[in-house]
Amino acid sequence: MNLKNIKQPFIETFPGDFSKNPIQRNTPKVLFSTVDPVGFDEPKLIVFNEKLSEEIGLGKLDDHDLDFLVGNNLPENIKTYATAYAGHQFGNWAGQLGDGRAILAGEIENKKGQKTELQWKGAGSTPYSRHADGRAVLRSSVREYLMSEAMYHLGVPTTRGLSLSFTGENVVRDMMYSGNPQEENGAVVVRTAESFLRFGHFELMSAQKEIDTLQKLTDFTIENYFPEITSEGEQKYKDFFQSVCTKTADLMVEWFRVGFVHGVMNTDNMSILGLTIDYGPFSMMDEYDLNFTPNTTDLPGRRYAFGKQGQISQWNLWQLANALFSLIKEENFLEETLNSYGTYFWEAHDKMLCKKFGFDQLLETDEEFFTNWQGLMQELQLDYTLFFNLLEKTDSITDLKTDFQKISYTILDEVKLKKLENFLQIYKVRLEKNEISRTESLDSMKKTNPKFLLRNYLLFECIEEINEGKTEMFEKLTKALENPYEEFFPEFSVKRPSNYDDISGCSMLSCSS
C-alpha cells in the first residue's frame, strides 16, 4: 500500500497533547492526544477491501502491509492520535469522551483530490478509553466491518471498512452486562471516512469556552468538507449549520428507508457530515415496530427506538446549535432552522415512502394511507423488507394467507387477513392515481426496496463460523451485501427464524456489541 502519502493535517492545525501518554485522563483545551497503537505479536488478516483501497489512493496490498492494518511497526510519516470530544449520552451531558478505542493514522488523498481519514478500531487504549482497554472483540468488529459495507452498497451515507484482522490475543468482555465476562477473540478494524468529526467535537470546545478553537474547528470543517459554502462571517456559520441539519435529516430518511436502527444516537455518535458512524448495538428491522430498539441499555425508555430516530436527531441538533451559538449569535435563526427541521424531514420521509410503494408523487391523502399502513404492519407483525418485496408481486398473488404468513411473525387469522385484504384494495386504488405506468412504478420500488438485508441473526451465524475458522458464510454475505437490490441467495431473503428470537446478538444487543 502507498503509506507514504498519509498525512496528519488535523494535528498540524489544532492544539493537542503530544505526550503519547495513554493514561486515561482529562485533556482540557485540546482536540487530540498523540498515542501509539499497542501492537500485536501474532495478527492474522481476515479480509482486505481491495476496491476501497484503490479508490482512496492506498493501492494494492503487499505482504508486509498487515503491520499497518493492525498498527504495528508504522513508518515515520504516520503520527497516530486520538481525538477528544464530548457529548450527551441518553439525553444527559457526559462531559469529555473521545476516541476510546479508535486511533487515527491520518488522511490520504487520491488522484481525484478526494481525502479520506484512516482509523484503527481496537488497537489499544487512549487517554479517552474511560477505564477500558481500547481493544475490540471479533464479534463487534465483524459486525462493524460488514454492516458499514452493507450500508454503503444500500446507498446510505456511512463510514466504511478497509480491513478486518485477528489480533492474536483474547479480550475479556461481558456481552450483556450480566456479570458473566468471558474471553473472546480480539480483532482490529481499519475504518475510513471523509472525516470522523462528530457533533461532540464542537460541544467539547464550546463547553470549555475555547471559542477561538471552536471557530478554527468550524472554519477547518467548512473549508475541507463543505466546499459549497462560499459565504463569509456569521452567514458562513449559518449556512454550515443549515447544511448539517439537511445532511442529518437526509440520513435519517435513509435509515427509515432500509429499516436501520442505530441503537445509540448519542451526540458523540452523530457525524457532522451526516454519515452513519459507530456501529454498536444496531439492527436492521425484522418485524415492523416503531418502538423497536436493539439496545438493551436503551430499555425500558426506548429513547433510540426506530420510530424516534427523526425526533432524536432533531434533539441532537439542538445541542449542536447550543455549541455553535457563540459563532452564529442569532437565537431566532437557530430556532427557526430547528423548527423547520421536522417539516423538511417528514416531507422527505413521506416522499421516500412514496417510492417504496411505487407512487409517482406525494398526495394529500397519503399521510392517512401511511398511518393506516403502519398500524397494519405492527398489528400483523409483518417483516418490513419482505413486505415491500411481496408488494411488488401483488398482481400475481393467488393465496394471500400462504404468501403473507411467510413474512409475518404472528399467526394471521381471518380477522387479520381481512384487514390485509382491505389494505391491498386501498393500495390498488391509490396506484391508479399514478401518472406513470405500472412498469415504471415497479422499477421505482425495486430501486428503493432492498432484496437483501444484513440481519443480526445472519451476522450471528457468520461470527460463530469465523470463530471456528470458517469463512464461507462471510464470503456469501459479502457478495449479497454488495448486491442488495438483487436476490443472489434466496435463503437470506426470509424472515428471522424463530429459533433466533431470544438469542443474544440476534435481536437484542448491549453497548458492548
Side-chain angles (χ1 to χ4, degrees):
M1 289 187 295
N2 182 17
L3 304 179
K4 293 181 179 179
N5 290 339
I6 296 176
K7 301 177 181 179
Q8 293 81 26
F10 194 85
I11 66 175
E12 295 168 0
T13 304
F14 299 108
D17 178 338
F18 288 88
S19 68
K20 290 194 175 183
N21 182 357
I23 297 299
Q24 292 144 41
R25 63 194 187 279
N26 285 326
T27 58
K29 301 185 178 183
V30 303
L31 274 169
F32 68 88
S33 295
T34 56
V35 62
D36 291 326
V38 67
F40 301 101
D41 294 333
E42 298 179 359
K44 180 181 178 182
L45 182 66
I46 298 172
V47 64
F48 178 74
N49 193 331
E50 295 181 3
K51 291 181 181 179
L52 176 59
S53 184
E54 293 282 5
E55 288 172 11
I56 65 179
L58 276 174
K60 296 184 181 301
L61 184 71
D62 294 325
D63 292 339
H64 61 274
D65 286 334
L66 177 58
D67 272 346
F68 171 77
L69 298 179
V70 296
N72 287 350
N73 305 315
L74 299 174
E76 291 184 1
N77 64 295
I78 298 180
K79 314 296 182 185
T80 54
Y81 61 100
T83 65
Y85 49 80
H88 286 79
Q89 298 190 323
F90 296 93
N92 300 308
W93 176 245
Q96 177 186 289
L97 298 169
D99 293 323
R101 55 175 174 170
I103 299 175
L104 284 131
E107 176 185 275
I108 190 165
E109 184 174 344
N110 66 13
K111 293 179 180 180
K112 297 179 181 179
Q114 299 166 326
K115 299 175 181 178
T116 303
E117 287 187 342
L118 305 167
Q119 184 183 83
W120 297 279
K121 186 171 182 179
S125 61
T126 79
Y128 314 111
S129 295
R130 300 187 295 283
H131 308 294
D133 58 16
R135 267 69 163 183
V137 294
L138 177 69
R139 163 174 48 86
S140 63
S141 302
V142 170
R143 285 172 55 80
E144 172 135 17
Y145 179 88
L146 286 177
M147 195 65 213
S148 61
E149 285 302 290
M151 292 286 271
Y152 170 77
H153 290 286
L154 283 165
V156 182
T158 180
T159 60
R160 295 191 65 187
L162 178 67
S163 67
L164 171 64
S165 306
F166 284 115
T167 61
E169 66 174 22
N170 290 331
V171 178
V172 177
R173 289 290 182 271
D174 185 352
M175 180 179 176
M176 300 303 294
Y177 299 145
S178 60
N180 185 33
Q182 296 181 355
E183 286 191 345
E184 301 184 45
N185 282 321
V188 171
V189 173
V190 177
R191 56 184 186 176
T192 73
E194 185 179 6
S195 173
F196 287 95
L197 283 171
R198 308 148 184 269
F199 289 13
H201 286 101
F202 299 83
E203 287 187 281
L204 179 65
M205 291 297 99
S206 176
Q208 294 182 353
K209 309 298 182 185
E210 295 295 317
I211 306 306
D212 288 344
T213 303
L214 173 65
Q215 183 170 1
K216 195 173 184 180
L217 174 63
T218 310
D219 289 340
F220 175 89
T221 305
I222 294 170
E223 179 181 349
N224 285 278
Y225 311 116
F226 292 80
E228 69 277 10
I229 297 178
T230 58
S231 49
E232 299 292 337
E234 289 182 13
Q235 187 60 45
K236 174 173 66 173
Y237 304 124
K238 290 180 181 179
D239 292 343
F240 169 66
F241 182 68
Q242 181 66 67
S243 183
V244 174
C245 287
T246 301
K247 288 176 183 291
T248 302
D250 290 342
L251 177 66
M252 295 301 108
V253 171
E254 287 298 295
W255 285 5
F256 276 95
R257 177 177 69 85
V258 300
F260 177 77
V261 194
H262 187 279
V264 202
M265 287 180 64
N266 298 328
T267 58
D268 54 292
N269 291 336
M270 296 293 292
S271 161
I272 205 71
L273 302 187
L275 306 176
T276 312
I277 193 170
D278 286 354
Y279 290 89
F282 65 81
S283 180
M284 283 299 195
M285 183 74 67
D286 291 319
E287 60 264 51
Y288 185 85
D289 183 1
L290 292 171
N291 205 35
F292 170 66
T293 178
N295 186 0
T296 56
T297 314
D298 197 26
L299 301 174
R302 299 178 185 269
R303 175 181 176 84
Y304 299 140
F306 176 65
K308 293 181 181 177
Q309 291 181 133
Q311 171 190 339
I312 290 299
S313 65
Q314 184 183 39
W315 189 93
N316 288 341
L317 285 163
W318 274 105
Q319 312 319 310
L320 180 63
N322 290 333
L324 295 175
F325 181 74
S326 59
L327 304 182
I328 295 175
K329 300 176 183 177
E330 284 192 28
E331 185 176 339
N332 288 339
F333 165 79
L334 291 170
E335 287 187 357
E336 289 172 5
T337 302
L338 287 163
N339 288 335
S340 65
Y341 177 85
T343 302
Y344 175 86
F345 166 77
W346 283 113
E347 183 175 345
H349 174 273
D350 288 352
K351 287 181 178 178
M352 173 273 294
L353 279 182
C354 280
K355 291 181 179 180
K356 288 183 75 68
F357 278 101
F359 303 155
D360 63 342
Q361 59 184 313
L362 181 64
L363 303 180
E364 289 185 6
T365 55
D366 286 338
E367 182 176 352
E368 181 181 0
F369 174 86
F370 294 147
T371 299
N372 292 337
W373 162 74
Q374 288 176 329
L376 180 79
M377 291 289 289
Q378 296 212 175
E379 182 181 355
L380 273 58
Q381 296 182 35
L382 298 175
D383 189 280
Y384 182 52
T385 299
L386 298 180
F387 170 81
F388 284 103
N389 294 165
L390 188 54
L391 203 63
E392 296 171 11
K393 305 172 184 176
T394 50
D395 295 338
S396 59
I397 289 178
T398 57
D399 189 333
L400 195 71
K401 182 174 183 178
T402 298
D403 288 340
F404 277 90
Q405 187 62 68
K406 291 178 181 178
I407 68 166
S408 174
Y409 293 85
T410 189
I411 300 299
L412 298 181
D413 57 25
E414 293 304 315
V415 174
K416 291 175 180 175
L417 285 170
K418 185 63 178 178
K419 290 181 179 180
L420 177 60
E421 186 177 2
N422 289 340
F423 172 81
L424 293 176
Q425 287 298 323
I426 294 171
Y427 174 59
K428 289 182 179 179
V429 172
R430 173 61 182 85
L431 279 176
E432 293 173 358
K433 297 179 182 179
N434 274 351
E435 296 180 3
I436 58 175
S437 67
R438 180 57 174 157
T439 300
E440 292 172 303
S441 171
L442 286 171
D443 185 58
S444 173
M445 294 177 73
K446 290 175 181 177
K447 291 178 180 178
T448 308
N449 300 314
K451 296 291 187 296
F452 169 80
L453 283 184
L454 192 57
R455 299 172 188 261
N456 273 344
Y457 86 87
L458 294 173
L459 282 164
F460 177 84
E461 290 182 354
C462 179
I463 293 163
E464 291 288 291
E465 286 199 3
I466 293 176
N467 274 317
E468 295 172 1
K470 303 174 184 177
T471 60
E472 181 181 355
M473 182 74 166
F474 186 94
E475 292 165 1
K476 286 180 69 175
L477 289 178
T478 298
K479 182 174 181 179
L481 66 85
E482 288 178 349
N483 304 276
Y485 298 97
E486 301 177 50
E487 193 174 79
F488 273 100
F489 302 105
E491 65 268 29
F492 292 160
S493 297
V494 297
K495 67 182 180 182
R496 183 189 68 245
S498 60
N499 57 299
Y500 287 113
D501 288 351
D502 299 316
I503 294 180
S504 299
C506 295
S507 54
M508 296 294 291
L509 304 104
S510 72
C511 286
S512 174
S513 304

